Each structure stands twice: as C-alpha cells, then as structure tokens.
Amino acid sequence: MSLIEIIMPKMGESIMEATVLKWLKNVGEKIEADEYLLEVATDKIDTEVPSSHTGIIKEILVPEGEVAEIGKPICIIETEGTTSQDLAQPAQISTKLEQEIEEIKSLTGINIEPIPVAETSNGGARFYSPLVLSICKEENISTAELTSIQGTGADGRVTKHDIFAYLENRTAPKSVALPVVEVKTQPVFVSGNDEIIQMDRMRRMIADRMVESKRIAPHVTSFVETDMTNVAIWRNGIKDSFKKEYGENITYTPILVEAIVKAIKDFPQINASVDGDRIIVKKSINIGMAVALPSGNLIVPVIHNADSYNLVGLTKKINDLSKRARENKLKPEDLQGGTYSFSNIGTFGNIMGTPIIMQPQVAIMAFGAIQKKPAVIETPQGDLLGIRQKMFISHSYDHRVVDGSLGGQFVKRVSDYLEAFEIDRKLL
C-alpha cells in the first residue's frame, strides 16, 4: 500500500488557482483513475477534475469553498501496489519571484513590475497570482502596500478577497482633500408578489466583466446593412446534402466567421488588445462566439486558429463548441486566447444590437436577423425593385485604439465578403 498526493492539474494558461465547489467523493470512498473527483470553478469556467490514480481517499486537503492552487496537492489517496511509494512532498514556491513574474507577463499580457519576495510565517516565499497582480495594477496598489496586506490563503497567500477587503478599508492620503458628495438613492421596495432570484456565480461573473469592460473601453458602434441573398440561396440549396455527407447541420454561423477571418487579414489592427499605452496586434486569429446557455447565461468559447479551417471544418468546430457549451462540458482552454468575438443575435429574432467588448480585445461584432425586404437592384438595363434577404451588422469597438475609419471599414469589409459570396460555390 502507498499514499499518493493528487495534484491540482493545470487548467489552462494564466489560471493559477481554482475554487473547490464540491467533492464528488468522500473520505473512505474508492476512486478510479480518470473518474471525476471534484468540481472546481476558475474565473473562466466551472469544470470537473478527474483523479490521476485509483485508490481509497484518505484525506481531503482543500475543503469545499476553499482555493486550490495549480500544482499543489488537493487530497491524499491510498493505492494498492507491489512497491512502496513515499508521500510526495508539496512543491515549494520558487524564491526567484522575478522569473515567476516574467512567466505571468508572458501568459497574461499584463505588464507588472517585479515585486520583491516577501517572507511568510513559515519562512517561504510569498507568491502572488496573476489575478491578484492584475487587480493591484488596476487599483494602483503599490509594492509596499501589497507586501503589507495580510493574506488569508494557504501559507499566508494573498487572495483576491484579501485585496477587495483591503480596498474597502483603504483610505486616501491625508494630504489629499476629497470633496464630499451626497448621493441620493431611491429605496428598493419588495412586495409579497415579487420573486427574488439570487444571482448564480456565472451571472455575477458576467455582470462584473460587463461593467468592467464599459469602464475600461469607450465603446463606439457602427452599422451596415448587408445583402445576404446569395448566402441564403446557397445554404438552402446545400444544407440537406451537407447533412447527409458530413453528418452536421450547416448554419449561417461558419459563413459569418469566414467573412470575419478574411476581413481580419485585411485589417489586422482590429485583431488586437491593449496593455497600457501599447497596442498588441495578435498574429493568431482566435474567434470567440457568444453562446446562450439553457440557464439564460452567456459563455464565449473560442475557435482557435479560425483561419486554418474551411467551411466544413468551421461547421464541425462551431457545432462541437456550441453543443459542449450547452452541456457544460467545455474545457478551460476552450475559453482562452480569443482575439476577436461576435454574437449572432439574429437567432433570437433581433435585427441589431450594440454588443459589449470582451476584454482585453478591442472590438466585437453582432449579426442580426435575416429578413426579406424590397430593395433596389442595379442591372445593365436600369434599376429594378426586388425582394432581397437583408441583415444588419453592428460593430462595437474600443475608441481608445480603434477610430471610426478602421472600425467602419472593417464592418463594411465583412459585409462586402458576404455580399460577394458565390452562389455556385463548391465546399472543397
């Protein structure tokens, strides 16, 4: 018999910790290798973690509601084996914090000045997660302030809750006179006929991110009306044979993604993020697509390297991500690395909207419902009136770095590609 530590696995780039939501096995119960052991939540996704070994659970090291660090033990199991294996020692945090900060920079794109090593009560180095460091940057918390904050995490680690608690009690320097502003708020009345719904974790996270995005980026929106007649005729003519040959339903979405990808290649500056006074133009084209969940919440899985797929590949990828999103089976890496996003609000019958940018991206597009409308058709013999299938495209962009010229030209280029779609196009 031997004791084995089950280590919290890597959840994706830039994720350094996860909150334990629920243990699926109790102490004394048997767990099989690859069987789900617990449910965890990161700032990107809720997911289940499998066991790396088969055995009996002897001790749970991170209780429900507590934070588990990536690469650290979360429980101990007893395994059967012909050889004895000593209990693995917990990984020690490196004393070379400068190297860790450089790694955090490369993973998150956040430019953070190195923070001196602070000694904890047990004499080890004090580690700061990327989330904590990014909050400190946004709130202008200095190195001295950060090292003075008492941590409630493991080994005295400072958590995001410690930072928020510090900010609530933080006082302005005495030399700065702050004006007193009286804010009058209307009381909230609740009657016996009202239904009170507590926000779930995902809704709270969405709320925080949307408010933060509007605070960070000055949003501007441009609109274009697009003739989708050729696209609609082509799709209606091919959807049955496509389903028979590839076993997939082809929607308008892969065609829309293809047009976005082509336009990004024409205007690469739109495929960017902002870091202080630096604009980081991304070389990879990773398209995030908003998916509405059965709960009413919204999630944005990412089509990585979208420019590497043809229409068949895009259809399969989009259908797979959408299905797994609705079944809560996305992996953390499915939500990471997006460089540009879109929302297909036409699926709800909406004709147009003004979407909120996914930080740290600089733009997002929304496609409205396709509607039949009378339109002027230009012919060599003169203008005629006809019925065309029209769609509004809206494009919200960060006016800090994207001016009206770039934002407007980009959405018009997407429209141009859709209108120029070949009605007799072959799939391969």
Side-chain angles (χ1 to χ4, degrees):
M1 307 293 287
S2 60
L3 296 177
I4 299 293
E5 287 182 338
I6 302 299
I7 303 300
M8 187 65 194
K10 184 176 181 180
M11 306 295 291
E13 63 180 32
S14 82
I15 297 179
M16 305 298 292
E17 61 184 25
T19 301
V20 176
L21 296 179
K22 181 181 179 181
W23 281 94
L24 304 177
K25 294 288 184 177
N26 298 316
V27 173
E29 291 185 326
K30 185 176 181 180
I31 181 76
E32 299 289 338
D34 297 326
E35 183 180 1
Y36 287 128
L37 182 61
L38 74 162
E39 295 177 355
V40 299
T42 71
D43 61 349
K44 297 181 182 294
I45 192 174
D46 296 355
T47 189
E48 296 171 324
V49 176
S51 175
S52 57
H53 294 75
T54 297
I56 304 297
I57 298 178
K58 302 298 291 183
E59 183 181 358
I60 290 176
L61 302 177
V62 184
E64 293 179 2
E66 295 295 320
V67 174
E69 294 185 24
I70 303 302
K72 292 298 188 68
I74 53 176
C75 73
I76 298 174
I77 66 172
E78 185 178 63
T79 64
E80 295 183 358
T82 56
T83 59
S84 175
Q85 181 176 345
D86 294 333
L87 185 64
Q89 294 297 320
Q92 299 296 321
I93 298 174
S94 171
T95 58
K96 297 181 179 180
L97 195 55
E98 292 82 1
Q99 296 178 3
E100 294 179 344
I101 296 299
E102 289 302 319
E103 180 181 359
I104 290 168
K105 287 181 183 179
S106 65
L107 292 175
T108 65
I110 299 172
N111 185 20
I112 303 170
E113 291 302 319
I115 296 175
V117 172
E119 295 297 321
T120 60
S121 57
N122 61 6
R126 198 179 197 188
F127 173 79
Y128 301 104
S129 72
L131 179 59
V132 166
L133 293 173
S134 64
I135 295 172
C136 290
K137 180 184 178 184
E138 289 293 333
E139 300 296 338
N140 294 320
I141 296 177
S142 66
T143 299
E145 286 180 286
L146 180 55
T147 55
S148 68
I149 296 173
Q150 294 296 317
T152 60
D155 296 324
R157 181 176 53 82
V158 175
T159 68
K160 64 179 180 180
H161 303 293
D162 298 326
I163 297 293
F164 292 147
Y166 172 78
L167 289 171
E168 288 180 2
N169 300 316
R170 192 187 199 188
T171 58
K174 293 182 179 180
S175 59
V176 178
L178 298 177
V180 178
V181 179
E182 182 180 358
V183 179
K184 295 183 179 180
T185 59
Q186 293 294 326
V188 178
F189 295 98
V190 179
S191 71
N193 297 324
D194 296 331
E195 180 184 6
I196 300 174
I197 301 175
Q198 183 64 40
M199 286 187 181
D200 59 23
R201 177 183 172 276
M202 181 173 286
R203 176 49 53 187
R204 294 195 304 271
M205 185 168 61
I206 292 172
D208 291 342
R209 288 182 176 179
M210 295 301 97
V211 171
E212 185 71 0
S213 180
K214 294 291 283 188
R215 184 188 70 81
I216 291 173
H219 284 54
V220 177
T221 307
S222 297
F223 300 88
V224 169
E225 189 174 27
T226 303
D227 191 331
M228 293 287 288
T229 306
N230 284 2
V231 172
I233 292 174
W234 179 85
R235 176 183 169 271
N236 289 334
I238 201 175
K239 61 182 181 181
D240 291 337
S241 60
F242 190 95
K243 172 72 173 178
K244 183 177 180 180
E245 183 172 357
Y246 299 104
E248 299 277 356
N249 292 318
I250 183 169
T251 64
Y252 288 106
T253 304
I255 302 171
L256 302 177
V257 171
E258 182 187 61
I260 291 175
V261 169
K262 289 181 178 179
I264 286 176
K265 290 183 176 181
D266 294 338
F267 297 98
Q269 300 92 336
I270 211 76
N271 195 52
S273 63
V274 181
D275 177 21
D277 59 357
R278 300 187 303 163
I279 302 172
I280 304 171
V281 179
K282 304 291 185 177
K283 296 301 182 182
S284 298
I285 301 178
N286 302 330
I287 307 297
M289 60 174 190
V291 177
L293 302 179
S295 63
N297 291 325
L298 190 73
I299 199 165
V300 186
V302 177
I303 309 165
H304 294 95
N305 302 309
D307 54 326
S308 66
Y309 296 94
N310 58 20
L311 273 182
V312 176
L314 280 175
T315 299
K316 292 181 177 180
K317 185 65 175 180
I318 288 167
N319 290 350
D320 170 63
L321 288 174
S322 299
K323 182 175 183 292
R324 288 195 288 119
R326 296 186 179 100
E327 295 175 352
N328 195 29
K329 293 182 179 179
L330 290 174
K331 300 177 181 179
E333 53 265 30
D334 292 326
L335 301 173
Q336 297 175 353
T339 60
Y340 186 92
S341 297
F342 76 95
S343 178
N344 193 352
I345 61 175
T347 57
F348 312 119
N350 302 152
I351 61 172
M352 67 175 65
T354 54
I356 298 177
I357 299 166
M358 290 281 297
Q359 295 298 323
Q361 299 167 32
V362 299
I364 183 172
M365 188 164 286
F367 296 100
I370 299 174
Q371 298 179 316
K372 292 182 179 179
K373 295 181 178 181
V376 175
I377 303 173
E378 296 181 359
T379 71
Q381 292 75 32
D383 294 343
L384 301 174
L385 280 177
I387 302 300
R388 307 294 288 179
Q389 301 208 44
K390 297 279 194 170
M391 176 184 72
F392 282 105
I393 308 177
S394 50
H395 186 219
S396 296
Y397 42 93
D398 185 343
H399 213 344
R400 292 179 302 167
V401 295
V402 181
D403 292 325
S405 174
L406 174 58
Q409 288 184 77
F410 180 79
V411 67
K412 182 61 169 63
R413 186 62 54 87
V414 172
S415 174
D416 290 343
Y417 280 123
L418 293 172
E419 291 187 344
F421 195 91
E422 296 179 4
I423 203 168
D424 57 350
R425 175 175 171 174
K426 303 300 181 183
L427 277 172
L428 300 176

